[in-house]
Amino acid sequence: MADKLFLLIICMVCIGYLIGAILKFYNNLWRKKPIPDEISDVYSIDKYIQYQEYKRETYKFSVITSTLSLILTLIMLFVGFSLVDSVIRTYLSNEIWISIAFFGVIGFLSDIVSTPFDIYETFVIEQKYGFNTMTKRTFILDKLKSYLLAVIIGVPVLFLIIWFYQSFSDNFWWMTWILISIISIALSYLYSNLIVPVFNKQTPLEEGELKNNIEKLASKTKFNLQNVYVIDGSKRSSRANAYFSGFGSKKRIVLYDTLIKTLSIDEIVSVLAHEIGHYKRKHTIKGLILSILQTGFLLFLLSVIIDADVIYESLGTPASFHIGVIIFIILYSPVSFIISLGMNHLSRQHEYQADFYAKEHSSADALISGLKSLTSNNMSDLTPHPWYVWAYYSHPPLLKRIRAISYPKHKKLEEL
């Protein structure tokens, strides 16, 4: 039975890799398709050639990194996880600290392996196409800050979860669910105040025409806007973005400084109307609730299988929380993929709804031109393969968004 389970685990890892590889392959092919008239003006001729070169290079790079990830995962399954577990047990005897050390070592080794590829992607590929603005100093500091946050936040939380498992057996899943739910809500509430300042500087939007137009939009939409901040995204990348975070008194709209440089005032206002649309339609709260429910479902399934001796026999290791979690994550991957399809579909519907809201409360033309500018600035795909969109896209492709904004609201999205 243990051998069959191990074979199943290997098959699932390989099948997951093949599905991803096939979807990437077809998505790469579809970039050669003719560009529809509605989005033919997104790229100039020179920029279009550069976009094609950039996408070809990133595709080849992703094939290399995903293949290496598959190889390393298989090595870890055959010998790596059991080896790390046995080495740690020669130094530690407390099961809680063994599990924490295990996750720490695996995470650190994974980061060590991936760092050279991150460096190449950032300082070679992204640099070549004008995206990277990060210095080597910032890159190193980001790594160190991430490690620090993992120790400050991750270790105590992990300690409590493992303690719940050891002390309360069958009840650990719902106790862990409550703990993670509280943390998720707290981080959503305080993300911009607690996490973002560790990596970026946020400053209130200065007085001027842009702020005046934003205040007019807030008044028109009856949106209690107290916090509009500009984040120094340009310290890492030239890509432009904006997002809405928090809720209640901590809600705020954040504009990347690159967005302000890239878009006109009318386009920025339309993008903000889109973000306000997410708030008015309660997308942030809905997403948080669904995430919490999904976490509860995951933890319940984990509690069902984590005590099965066969999962430890399959890797030849003693029964332990950390090995049980590793095996569960792999076995859960088909369910996770199916859930992600539903979540991505819902997210795309939310984007349409936010676009409709922006269309009604700002300028549809400005929203469309703003989306085109962001697509050009970020070198996003114009003709992604439908399967790839279905599997991975949390936002609709540009063409569908433009058609949805341009066409009557009652028209079915499937017809766009």
Side-chain angles (χ1 to χ4, degrees):
M1 182 65 180
D3 291 340
K4 291 181 180 179
L5 177 60
F6 184 75
L7 180 61
L8 174 63
I9 292 168
I10 298 300
C11 288
M12 292 178 69
V13 170
C14 293
I15 290 171
Y17 166 81
L18 287 174
I19 291 173
I22 291 169
L23 290 174
K24 288 179 184 178
F25 174 77
Y26 279 108
N27 191 56
N28 186 58
L29 284 181
W30 271 51
R31 294 195 185 101
K32 299 176 182 178
K33 287 178 65 67
I35 306 301
D37 291 339
E38 296 104 313
I39 54 176
S40 61
D41 59 341
V42 171
Y43 294 118
S44 65
I45 294 177
D46 290 341
K47 188 70 178 284
Y48 181 76
I49 294 173
Q50 186 185 39
Y51 149 75
Q52 290 284 359
E53 292 175 348
Y54 172 68
K55 289 300 184 179
R56 277 195 295 270
E57 195 161 347
T58 54
Y59 168 69
K60 291 177 182 178
F61 184 72
S62 71
V63 170
I64 293 172
T65 54
S66 60
T67 302
L68 177 62
S69 177
L70 171 68
I71 294 170
L72 292 176
T73 300
L74 293 176
I75 290 173
M76 293 302 295
L77 284 169
F78 277 100
V79 296
F81 291 130
S82 59
L83 178 61
V84 172
D85 180 76
S86 62
V87 170
I88 290 174
R89 289 181 183 278
T90 62
Y91 296 96
L92 299 173
S93 58
N94 183 284
E95 281 296 324
I96 293 180
W97 288 111
I98 288 173
S99 291
I100 291 174
F102 178 88
F103 287 123
V105 169
I106 295 299
F108 181 71
L109 291 176
S110 175
D111 192 61
I112 291 297
V113 172
S114 65
T115 293
F117 295 93
D118 293 340
I119 291 172
Y120 182 84
E121 182 178 23
T122 301
F123 294 103
V124 177
I125 298 177
E126 296 292 293
Q127 188 92 23
K128 178 180 177 181
Y129 293 95
F131 289 123
N132 179 55
T133 56
M134 183 188 299
T135 64
K136 294 178 177 64
R137 180 177 181 274
T138 300
F139 183 87
I140 294 171
L141 286 176
D142 281 354
K143 286 283 184 184
L144 296 177
K145 289 174 182 177
S146 297
Y147 289 152
L148 183 62
L149 284 177
V151 172
I152 294 175
I153 299 176
V155 171
V157 172
L158 189 55
F159 185 95
L160 279 175
I161 292 173
I162 301 169
W163 182 72
F164 286 162
Y165 170 70
Q166 291 190 348
S167 303
F168 301 100
S169 187
D170 294 339
N171 293 320
F172 101 94
W173 76 269
W174 62 261
M175 298 178 71
T176 301
W177 185 22
I178 292 174
L179 173 66
I180 294 177
S181 298
I182 292 172
I183 293 172
S184 298
I185 294 170
L187 288 178
S188 296
Y189 184 68
L190 298 171
Y191 172 74
S192 290
N193 299 85
L194 188 64
I195 304 299
V196 173
V198 176
F199 297 93
N200 288 93
K201 181 180 179 182
Q202 299 175 105
T203 56
L205 180 64
E206 62 184 21
E207 298 293 333
E209 184 180 0
L210 176 57
K211 187 172 182 179
N212 291 337
N213 278 271
I214 291 174
E215 289 175 345
K216 289 178 183 177
L217 172 67
S219 176
K220 180 181 179 180
T221 57
K222 298 179 181 179
F223 180 73
N224 183 18
L225 183 62
Q226 298 177 348
N227 301 307
V228 179
Y229 285 84
V230 179
I231 190 172
D232 58 341
S234 59
K235 71 183 290 185
R236 292 182 179 82
S237 174
S238 63
R239 299 178 190 274
N241 199 5
Y243 65 88
F244 180 90
S245 71
F247 47 89
S249 62
K250 295 296 182 181
K251 68 178 183 292
R252 64 170 60 176
I253 289 175
V254 180
L255 307 176
Y256 278 53
D257 54 357
T258 48
L259 183 84
I260 295 175
K261 295 175 184 176
T262 302
L263 303 187
S264 69
I265 290 178
D266 286 343
E267 289 171 344
I268 293 173
V269 170
S270 69
V271 170
L272 288 185
H274 172 95
E275 297 301 328
I276 291 174
H278 281 306
Y279 176 78
K280 290 289 187 176
R281 299 291 183 257
K282 295 180 171 52
H283 294 159
T284 303
I285 298 297
K286 290 176 182 178
L288 180 60
I289 292 172
L290 286 173
S291 176
I292 289 173
L293 292 175
Q294 183 180 344
T295 300
F297 176 65
L298 184 151
L299 288 169
F300 172 73
L301 291 182
L302 173 63
S303 71
V304 171
I305 75 164
I306 197 170
D307 290 325
D309 292 336
V310 67
I311 67 176
Y312 307 103
E313 293 171 4
S314 66
L315 290 189
T317 63
S320 59
F321 179 81
H322 49 276
I323 296 297
V325 169
I326 294 292
I327 299 302
F328 171 76
I329 289 173
I330 296 173
L331 294 176
Y332 181 74
S333 58
V335 179
S336 177
F337 181 70
I338 292 171
I339 290 175
S340 72
L341 294 179
M343 294 294 285
N344 283 336
H345 175 76
L346 180 63
S347 176
R348 292 193 294 270
Q349 299 307 305
H350 285 173
E351 292 302 320
Y352 284 126
Q353 292 171 19
D355 281 346
F356 286 139
Y357 187 90
K359 170 185 175 180
E360 293 171 352
H361 294 87
S362 63
S363 166
D365 290 339
L367 179 60
I368 290 173
S369 63
L371 290 173
K372 287 182 175 180
S373 294
L374 290 174
T375 298
S376 178
N377 175 263
N378 297 333
M379 285 195 191
S380 301
D381 272 333
L382 296 181
T383 56
H385 194 284
W387 294 354
Y388 195 83
V389 173
W390 175 69
Y392 298 120
Y393 270 42
S394 61
H395 287 54
L398 175 64
L399 180 61
K400 284 204 168 189
R401 292 183 72 173
I402 290 175
R403 289 177 175 175
I405 294 167
S406 302
Y407 292 176
K409 185 175 180 179
H410 59 77
K411 191 176 181 68
K412 293 182 179 179
L413 296 176
E414 291 78 6
E415 298 174 7
L416 302 178

